[in-house]
Amino acid sequence: MPSQRISQPSASRADAIRPRGRARRLLGYTAIEVVLVLSIVGIVAATSFPKLRLTVNQTKARRGATVIGAMIEYAFAASQRTDQPVTITYNSSNGVMSVADRASGTVMRRLALKGGSEWAYQTVTVSPSAGVTVFPMGLASAALTVTVGSGGFTKTVSASRAGVVRVQ
């Protein structure tokens, strides 16, 4: 049997595999094409950041107002559950709203609204500023209004004396 010889491809066969001319130019992107695409992406990103910041501020104010409303509802429920009056207060110096047992002063819930908190609101207004006492019968000493603001967007949480909480 004659031995078969395996031959390496000749230079002319290797050249036939490589694309030439126009086909060779279509294999990659030129530097100008890459710069153009990156420029367009940069312009689109720069124009969308202000809208994104506004959306984040609106969402932060909306979610935080919902959490404040839930905390006020908790105060009414805790007062009835423990059969003891509780107070809802806001300390403007450290930006903390708290629900505490009126007799012992034990804090049941605490929510940081300013500073290094999750919410970090720019403005927080609470009326009445002295706080509100919630009695076990389901009535509060006064209606409560909390207004929070972030980045020019504000939300108001109001609670009636009877415990009806509305987020506006």
Side-chain angles (χ1 to χ4, degrees), residues 142-154:
L144 179 65
T145 304
V146 180
T147 304
V148 292
S150 178
F153 189 77
T154 60

Side-chain angles (χ1 to χ4, degrees), residues 9-73:
S10 65
S12 62
R13 273 182 94 183
D15 288 339
I17 296 172
R18 288 191 205 123
R20 294 184 185 181
R22 180 182 166 104
R24 185 173 187 159
R25 281 184 272 143
L26 295 178
L27 288 178
Y29 298 108
T30 64
I32 292 176
E33 290 170 332
V34 172
V35 168
L36 182 65
V37 168
L38 291 177
S39 305
I40 292 171
V41 168
I43 291 169
V44 169
T47 58
S48 65
F49 279 137
K51 181 67 176 168
L52 180 64
R53 188 176 309 125
L54 178 65
T55 303
V56 167
N57 287 336
Q58 289 175 348
T59 303
K60 183 169 44 168
R62 190 177 306 116
R63 287 183 58 216
T66 303
V67 170
I68 292 168
M71 186 171 177
I72 295 169
E73 289 174 348

